[in-house]
Amino acid sequence: MPMSEHAPLKSVNAPYLEALNPPQKDAVENLDGPLLVLAGAGTGKTRVLTTRLAHLLHQNKAWPSQILAVTFTNKAANEMRERVASLLGQPVEGWWLGTFHALGARMLRRHADLVGLTSSFTILDPDDQIRLLKQLMEAETVDTKKWPPKAMMAIIDRWKDRGKVPSEISANEAGDLANGKLPKLYRQYQERLKVLNACDFGDLLLHMITIFKDSKHADVLAEYHQRFKYIMVDEYQDTNVAQYLWLRLLAQGTGNICCVGDDDQSIYGWRGAEVGNILRFERDFPGAKTIRLEQNYRSTGHILDAASSVIAQNSSRLGKTLWSDADKGEKIQMRGLWDGEAEARFVAEDIEQLQRKGWSLDQMAVLVRAGFQMREFEERFMKLGLSYRVIGGPRFYERKEIRDALAYLRVVAQPKDDLALGRIINTPKRGLGDATIQTLSVHARESGQSLYESIEDLAETEELRPNIRTTLATLLKDFARWRSLITTTHHSELAGIILDESGYTGMWQSDKSPDAPGRLENLKELVSAMAEFDNLASFLEHVSLVMENQEESQGEKITLMTLHGAKGLEFDAVYLPGWEDGVFPSQRSMDENGTAGLEEERRLAYVGITRARKKATITYVANRRMYGSWVNSMPSRFLEELPQDSVEVEAEMGLYQPGRSSHWDSSGRGFSSENRFKPNSKLLEGLTSGGSKKEKSPQATFAPGDRVSHDKFGAGKVVHIQGNKLDVEFENGDIKRLLSSFIEKV
């Protein structure tokens, strides 16, 4: 019989406590007052959460309906529900367990009338949101090409994630978005939602926060204070401002709030998560107790030492050190390679070796910082016949932007490719409606022509409106011009010209959605990949063969995914490629967010390392083909933050070896300790971003806080020193890692 929402369980012994270590048991038994459980990677966070919920019920501290348990995913909520039922030996009904959105919707349906809605309101999906905003923008004569509705909606969503209603958006905050009209459009959008008896996902919490803060409805908040005796929150480090405000308001009742999370795994700042929420928990909830879960049950000692050493460099953290009873295991492999192709070859060969030793491909993962890095690994795996899966997105050549770009190239190479032309004829938008495209297609079928030939015919007749004819004629001229360049222009350069002149690149550049930068990087990677082939035809043939071989095979598969997507997962063997400054840490993240961006990148490194149970391999390259040209790379600053005792370093002859007490000598056979932190031969000379070759005083010494000057980047301040490398924060907020020889004191 299930436990009813109003019936506490009769108290008996609690055998489930015997499986817990002392800090875990402490977290479970500390039921009253505010509690922060800092749960490091692999320390049994889920076990503590579920056991604590079971213990509340088991000890008659609350009825199921008096517990509010918040998760980030439905999967986590279902897992929690099943585990608690297993611990108690019976299902539990009537409690408030679910995601922020699900619980917000449950509350709002009870109080919808207080914000001008009825309980039967509709929740709009993202497509409906964008369509509604577009209507409002057109009514306000805002250019939707210059200000894409999808991008403007993303900004409104971000305002909602910060708990801001239209009246709280200042002119400075809005800037010139939508010609300075975005706050007005936000207000109109909210008003229109009420007319439609609808809300979006952001409103589910925002409306409830508005109700809770309104003194006229103080009884509503008081009702929930009386209802919820205990509040529990999972993944607290990922909460945004609105979620934080909602929780704080609800916790003002009993003060019995338990938040479980890991500040060192806060990696979603780009989508609104505020690491500050967990960092200031003790200030927000006076008298709060903090319990650290540091015993790791996942990884070997060397892996944990490496992760702890890297994350210790962050200043904005509460602090904990992972440890394990398990043996040290294998040291982390660090491999320096000449280029991206060599990197992919090394990883694939290492995977094959492990496979021959009996390791399962299902327990191996390649975790990249950015999606564009996947291509070389995919192609190498396919060449060797290694089965793989891409998690969190399509395979490289299946991505929308790549398919679109390939369609342009196919039409240039073969004008009669109707499928390719049909895909991009109105991408980017050229004002060609469905009716026009239908007319072109019907004419092609009836005349026995290709779509391209049909356009040639109709562009010279009166069947279509003059503006449409002009658009189509211009498109045909573009294709003809691009086709004429095949014999005189390198095919990779031609691809860049086509993407730029067609407006396709510009379309993604003006798109403000979070995934737009990644799509642009993938397009640049595509152009770069083409340079490896003799001509356009051979490249397109290669892609066709790749696509043909991408049918899903059965059996074990290597996992290929981004570091962001890997959070919460674990594998026996993990490969972490691309550890070069600019790639990882991401230059874009540092440029946009300064020190905070660098620290989030370091947390991402921590997440990546702690995904490994037995074996972790980190690779970096001296040269990487990016965006059609070769780029010399400096090893990631994170490499020298790894503990030397836990890392085994190997590099191809002549390569700089970070984190070692020495470098290869000129013979390539030994080490020269006196050369530590010096560039080896010419490899690192001038590899900093546009670093000048001008020699600075060899006697110059630096300390954090020193004011310095760089020939290209100007004046700045030293924020961190590692050997002869300085992290300098410049006046525009950018942080660059530079060799001291390129810097002068001022």
Side-chain angles (χ1 to χ4, degrees), residues 153 169 182 305 319 342 375 381 470 476 549 632 657 660 715:
M153 194 68 246
I169 304 301
L182 196 55
D305 290 347
R375 185 195 60 82
F381 292 161
T470 301
L476 291 178
N549 293 330
N632 293 325
Q657 295 196 62
R660 294 294 294 263

Side-chain angles (χ1 to χ4, degrees), residues 463-489:
E463 294 287 341
L464 304 172
R465 296 196 309 273
N467 61 321
I468 298 297
R469 294 201 306 272
T470 301
T471 296
L472 291 171
T474 301
L475 184 61
L476 291 178
K477 286 178 183 175
D478 286 341
F479 274 115
R481 184 178 70 260
W482 298 330
R483 197 170 297 117
S484 71
L485 296 175
I486 290 179
T487 56
T488 59
T489 308

Side-chain angles (χ1 to χ4, degrees), residues 265-321:
Q265 294 189 73
S266 180
I267 58 174
Y268 299 120
W270 51 276
R271 69 183 188 195
E274 278 285 342
V275 68
N277 292 346
I278 192 169
L279 295 178
R280 63 172 179 265
F281 184 88
E282 292 181 336
R283 279 180 289 162
D284 289 341
F285 300 97
K289 182 174 182 176
T290 299
I291 295 174
R292 288 169 168 79
L293 305 184
E294 298 173 303
Q295 185 174 359
N296 179 281
Y297 296 93
R298 174 189 300 163
S299 306
T300 62
H302 282 311
I303 291 171
L304 296 180
D305 290 347
S308 296
S309 180
V310 170
I311 200 63
Q313 306 300 315
N314 273 4
S315 57
S316 299
R317 63 189 296 259
L318 296 171
K320 62 183 177 306
T321 302

